[in-house]
Amino acid sequence: FLHGVAAELLGVHPLFIVREVTLDTSSIFIFVYYQFVFRITENLEMAHKQRVAVAILATGLMVVSYGVATFSYIRYYAYFPHILNMALAFSSVLLAMDYLERPEKKWWCFGWAAVLVGIMFLVNRQEAVFAFTMIVGISVLRLLRTYNSSSRGIHPKALNRSRVVGYSVLALIALGIVLGYDLRHLIIGSEAT
């Protein structure tokens, strides 16, 4: 849809702008991936230049190795919604992490993460499940960390958020198990019988 709109605005057939669209969507994905790696190295004992180097190295490795068989993910999927969905997946995880770890961030960070996961679910469920799993995992790990001896350095507001979100996630998981909700129908659809 986005490619069709861009082609319409430019007054050309969508196939005539494949290279440009591939460059744009690939650049967005590469930028978001770089930001993701840079952000997750934030709490490591590394200098800023080292974090930049790690993010550049990880992004370079992703560019040359991320794909399916002989197809590069960035070239092959650039004209399909998957690559933008992966950018949304990493962005949603970053928003959730910011809400849990940074006391100055507002509730809307977690709300926007949920909105992005919802958009991904509508476009392609695979990336939505990927992002959801990462957010759940991070939430539970942050909850466990609040009871660790290293929690002394955590801001009280972030500590409270991590516990509320972590316990909420665990409660939802337990509720899903107790109710026997079959997630296959949600994830795969009606074909999962």
Side-chain angles (χ1 to χ4, degrees):
F1 174 76
L2 294 175
H3 303 154
V5 169
E8 181 67 27
L9 291 173
L10 294 171
V12 297
H13 192 279
L15 294 177
F16 294 140
I17 58 171
V18 170
R19 288 184 187 174
E20 292 81 3
V21 168
T22 300
L23 177 63
D24 289 344
T25 55
S26 297
S27 298
I28 290 168
F29 177 67
I30 290 169
F31 174 75
V32 169
Y33 187 83
Y34 170 85
Q35 291 298 321
F36 179 77
V37 174
F38 189 74
R39 171 64 175 84
I40 62 173
T41 60
E42 184 176 273
N43 294 332
L44 299 177
E45 293 180 13
M46 300 172 78
H48 180 78
K49 288 181 181 180
Q50 289 173 318
R51 288 180 53 222
V52 169
V54 166
I56 289 172
L57 177 63
T59 303
L61 290 172
M62 181 273 304
V63 167
V64 298
S65 66
Y66 197 48
V68 180
T70 57
F71 292 108
S72 163
Y73 187 85
I74 292 171
R75 285 185 296 106
Y76 182 69
Y77 288 108
Y79 210 65
F80 299 95
H82 305 286
I83 196 160
L84 292 177
N85 240 15
M86 281 304 293
L88 293 180
F90 287 123
S91 298
S92 66
V93 172
L94 290 174
L95 286 167
M97 286 175 60
D98 277 354
Y99 177 73
L100 292 172
E101 296 176 5
R102 296 180 174 167
E104 72 276 4
K105 295 297 180 180
K106 304 292 185 220
W107 64 268
W108 56 262
C109 281
F110 212 79
W112 273 111
V115 168
L116 292 180
V117 171
I119 291 169
M120 287 181 282
F121 185 80
L122 293 173
V123 174
N124 187 314
R125 294 176 182 162
Q126 179 178 325
E127 290 86 9
V129 171
F130 172 73
F132 180 75
T133 304
M134 288 184 69
I135 291 170
V136 165
I138 289 168
S139 299
V140 172
L141 287 174
R142 295 287 306 169
L143 168 66
L144 295 174
R145 186 171 177 224
T146 65
Y147 293 104
N148 192 338
S149 61
S150 64
S151 68
R152 292 185 198 123
I154 300 175
H155 190 278
K157 196 171 187 177
L159 187 99
N160 188 40
R161 285 179 182 178
S162 294
R163 288 184 178 167
V164 168
V165 171
Y167 281 125
S168 298
V169 165
L170 289 176
L172 288 173
I173 291 170
L175 182 65
I177 291 170
V178 169
L179 294 177
Y181 191 77
D182 191 357
L183 289 178
R184 290 179 301 151
H185 290 291
L186 177 64
I187 296 169
I188 300 170
S190 60
E191 302 106 26
T193 54

